[in-house]
Amino acid sequence: MTSIGGAEMVDWNLAVATATRLVRPGPEVSKDEARAVVAELRRHAKSSEEHVRSFTGMGTEGAHDTPVLVVDRAGWIKANVAGFREILKPLLEKMRDKRGGGPGGAVLGAVGGKVTGVELGMLLSFLASRVLGQYETFAPATRALPAGSNGGGRLLLVAPNIVHVERELDVDPHDFRLWVCLHEETHRTQFTAVPWLRDHLEGEIQSFLGETEVDPMTVLERVREAAQTFAGGRSDGEGDEEGGAAADGGRSIVELVQTPAQREILARLTAVMSLLEGHADFVMDGVGPDVVPSVEEIREKFRERRARGASRLDQALRKLLGLDAKLRQYRDGERFVRAVVQEVGMDGFNRVWTSPNTLPTKAEIAKPADWVARVHRKGD
């Protein structure tokens, strides 16, 4: 338990309670329909294993050991709070050591923990109605949240969100559910077939958190600079990758309060996440024509939905939280995977899973030929 004088730095129970209270209700379904959706998602998750293995050439033996959990929005919230609690332990201990010795540390810890719990709950309530599925790997195994052995995770499929989107897009529900399962099963395959991937990601995340400023005045100054940038008060004049506009104009507030060392780590993490998301998109569309008859219609409607967002408020929140960057990861990563497979075939692409050294850099994601030249040298 990370605490100051007995009070946790984050009130995790309050985070769950806040998110569960604020999250929007899911679509109306009867009990029979709900049971049918859950059963179908489990069947599709099972059948997706063979589809993904055949298409990618990656072994899925370890996938049998990782459970598939069909959850509601509250279940997704609880799983992610458990994951946050585990991954943030080192940072919270660092904050405890920084603040715990000062006068009133216990009171500050209690008040701050509740404030942070509410803030985290508000964020998760926003995300909980948008996530279709997730391979969660960091939360410790419990009876309510089982996981694979040897540090494996679990595959979460958020049933109400899948039903909501298939209705919104007006697509064949059975095809859409299989299409989503193909994407999420690809993520499960990535982590079960590449045993070093989870530890590598966790190491990068811990390095990122280890560079976090815990001095309140330093953090306040960074937030002030970020606010000035969003208000148009300052620009560092750097060009972005696509259009040459000021780089800060395209950054989220999360990025703007980072240290230079954190930006370097984030560039590596961005490259990995672009690879994972792009690979899953490539696989779901590659498998799709053989097993999902309406895949072209689904893909086109889903792409339009991603691009436009639900509302102006939704678009503003996506930019503020950096979710627009995640949307670019799907696009840029899929483009990278497609280009590499066209150049060196699927077996050649699968060299990307050899070790952390063969992962693409952020620059190579934008220029796949550079990755091919580095990993597939003429002497091979």
Side-chain angles (χ1 to χ4, degrees), residues 45-325:
K46 180 65 176 178
S47 66
S48 294
E49 291 181 24
E50 180 59 32
H51 295 314
V52 171
R53 179 172 59 184
S54 297
F55 185 81
T56 64
M58 299 174 69
T60 59
E61 290 77 9
H64 302 303
D65 188 44
T66 56
V68 176
L69 307 179
V70 181
V71 299
D72 57 11
R73 291 170 177 174
W76 181 87
I77 288 167
K78 292 175 184 176
N80 277 268
V81 167
F84 279 133
R85 187 171 187 169
E86 186 70 16
I87 202 72
L88 290 176
K89 275 183 180 178
L91 174 61
L92 296 182
E93 289 173 358
K94 182 178 177 181
M95 295 173 68
R96 177 199 61 192
D97 294 341
K98 182 75 173 180
R99 291 170 49 186
V107 175
L108 288 173
V111 174
K114 292 190 179 300
V115 171
T116 307
V118 170
E119 291 173 340
L120 178 59
M122 293 173 65
L123 170 62
L124 289 174
S125 72
F126 173 77
L127 297 175
S129 62
R130 287 158 173 77
V131 176
L132 301 182
Q134 174 188 357
Y135 186 78
E136 205 296 314
T137 183
F138 295 118
T142 64
R143 178 177 297 181
L145 195 64
S149 60
N150 301 319
R154 72 283 295 168
L155 180 61
L156 306 177
L157 297 170
V158 191
N161 295 349
I162 294 172
V163 172
H164 171 78
V165 174
E166 70 192 25
R167 290 179 177 179
E168 180 185 1
L169 298 182
D170 189 25
V171 294
D172 182 283
H174 309 292
D175 284 2
F176 184 74
R177 293 165 196 173
L178 176 55
W179 189 69
V180 170
C181 286
L182 288 170
H183 181 103
E184 302 307 332
E185 177 59 36
T186 303
H187 285 318
R188 185 163 69 146
T189 297
Q190 290 163 349
F191 281 91
T192 55
V194 185
W196 53 264
L197 183 57
R198 179 193 181 279
D199 290 342
H200 174 71
L201 272 178
E202 183 176 11
E204 291 281 55
I205 292 170
Q206 293 303 336
S207 295
F208 181 89
L209 294 176
E211 293 289 338
T212 300
E213 296 282 1
V214 295
D215 177 67
M217 293 306 297
T218 302
V219 174
L220 181 62
E221 180 61 27
R222 290 187 179 277
V223 171
R224 185 182 296 115
E225 291 176 0
Q228 290 173 349
T229 298
F230 271 98
R234 182 181 67 83
S235 172
D236 61 13
E238 294 178 2
D240 65 13
E241 292 183 5
E242 293 184 7
D248 281 351
R251 291 181 185 168
S252 69
I253 195 169
V254 176
E255 292 174 292
L256 288 168
V257 297
Q258 291 164 3
T259 66
Q262 284 178 313
R263 292 193 185 113
E264 291 183 8
I265 298 169
L266 183 66
R268 297 196 298 269
L269 279 169
T270 298
V272 176
M273 297 311 298
S274 296
L275 170 69
L276 299 181
E277 296 294 358
H279 182 234
D281 265 13
F282 178 78
V283 172
M284 72 193 298
D285 286 345
V287 173
D290 292 331
V291 298
V292 183
S294 59
V295 65
E296 292 187 9
E297 176 191 2
I298 292 173
R299 163 52 78 188
E300 184 59 30
K301 289 183 175 180
F302 196 75
R303 184 182 290 113
E304 291 174 358
R305 181 181 185 273
R306 273 182 179 171
R308 69 174 181 266
S311 65
R312 287 187 176 182
L313 175 61
D314 185 76
Q315 291 173 351
L317 286 171
R318 289 193 324 187
K319 182 173 180 62
L320 182 66
L321 298 173
L323 299 182
D324 278 348

Side-chain angles (χ1 to χ4, degrees), residues 267-268 271-272 336 358-367 371 374:
R268 297 196 298 269
V272 176
F336 169 84
T358 56
L359 291 172
T361 64
K362 189 176 180 181
E364 288 171 340
I365 288 288
K367 295 182 178 180
W371 180 88
R374 176 171 67 87

